[in-house]
Amino acid sequence: MTKAKAIPTEVDPGDAKPTTRQAEELARIKTVAKKQAARADGPPMQLKMVDGVLQITFTHADPDLAHILMMADLGTCDTDFMAGVQGQIATIGTHGRKIDEGASNFLMSVVRGVQPRDELEAMLAVQMGAIHQATMMMARRLNHVDNITQQDAAERALNKLARTYATQMEALKRYRTGGQQKVTVEHVTVNEGGQAIVGAVTHGGRGSNGK
């Protein structure tokens, strides 16, 4: 299994006392190393076209274990679901017979970053990664327009994609919180003399005097 390069987290004892900037950099490096150690992501995908058919393998010595790790990344125990989503992710980075392995693995890294808990979250994470890639493509296109017509078309598409991504983020948040929303209602009481007292509204039963 291909492992990420170990991140150094200590200063060489033979080195001089680190400067303030070096100490700050080391603290940030330790933060990254801690996050890296806490992640046990599956291996990257390897894509290859064979007789016009896209084949997917992994940079892992054990193919069965690689598939299990992929299922863990997708928050599923369903092999059919894993195979379907895996194929969709691989296809995102493929243009005809041209393969962009990096684009597909980037999309998979987006899904891993979301850390989906079930199949619905996994599908939404894949869509979010795809929308992000499309957004960046339209942003690049907007920077290379030749006329107003191209500019307007690219700008409209970019705005739609950006709004879609924001909507996806909200959808993920609502799904993870069960759609619960906390609403606080306050009332304002103005006493004689014009002083306002703001407080939360509470609804209780009748008092002991019946009022």
Side-chain angles (χ1 to χ4, degrees):
M1 180 177 179
T2 301
K3 294 184 179 180
K5 184 178 179 180
I7 299 176
T9 58
E10 301 295 338
V11 177
D12 189 330
D15 292 344
K17 183 178 179 181
T19 64
T20 300
R21 179 177 178 80
Q22 289 173 329
E24 291 173 347
E25 290 175 345
L26 182 59
R28 298 182 68 188
I29 290 172
K30 287 183 177 180
T31 299
V32 174
K34 184 177 180 180
K35 288 182 178 180
Q36 187 184 71
R39 293 276 293 267
D41 297 335
M45 294 186 296
Q46 291 181 318
L47 309 179
K48 182 171 62 173
M49 280 289 188
V50 179
D51 297 328
V53 179
L54 178 63
Q55 292 189 349
I56 307 172
T57 56
F58 300 93
T59 56
H60 198 287
D62 188 336
D64 292 334
L65 181 55
H67 278 78
I68 294 173
L69 290 172
M70 175 69 83
M71 285 194 288
D73 290 337
L74 295 173
T76 185
C77 60
D78 189 319
T79 55
D80 290 331
F81 178 84
M82 187 277 291
V85 172
Q86 171 187 289
Q88 292 169 350
I89 292 174
T91 304
I92 286 289
T94 305
H95 309 282
R97 291 180 175 272
K98 183 180 179 182
I99 297 173
D100 188 344
E101 199 171 86
S104 294
N105 279 311
F106 168 76
L107 179 53
M108 190 61 221
S109 72
V110 171
V111 177
R112 292 182 176 121
V114 173
Q115 297 182 329
R117 301 177 302 181
D118 57 30
E119 290 81 0
L120 291 178
E121 288 190 5
M123 289 188 291
L124 182 55
V126 172
Q127 293 175 27
M128 290 170 68
I131 289 296
H132 171 76
Q133 288 182 315
T135 302
M136 295 300 98
M137 180 185 69
M138 294 311 304
R140 183 171 64 250
R141 184 172 298 178
L142 182 59
N143 287 332
H144 295 86
V145 295
D146 296 321
N147 52 61
I148 297 299
T149 301
Q150 292 179 355
Q151 175 181 307
D152 290 344
E155 186 176 15
R156 284 195 299 271
L158 180 60
N159 286 334
K160 288 180 180 179
L161 289 166
R163 288 196 297 269
T164 298
Y165 185 82
T167 301
Q168 290 172 328
M169 289 286 289
E170 288 298 321
L172 178 61
K173 183 186 300 183
R174 287 197 302 272
Y175 182 75
R176 284 187 165 176
T177 58
Q180 297 178 354
Q181 293 183 339
K182 182 179 180 181
V183 179
T184 301
V185 180
E186 294 188 342
H187 74 283
V188 179
T189 302
V190 181
N191 292 336
E192 184 178 357
Q195 183 178 4
I197 301 176
V198 181
V201 175
T202 57
H203 298 281
R206 292 178 177 272
S208 58
N209 58 1
K211 295 183 180 180

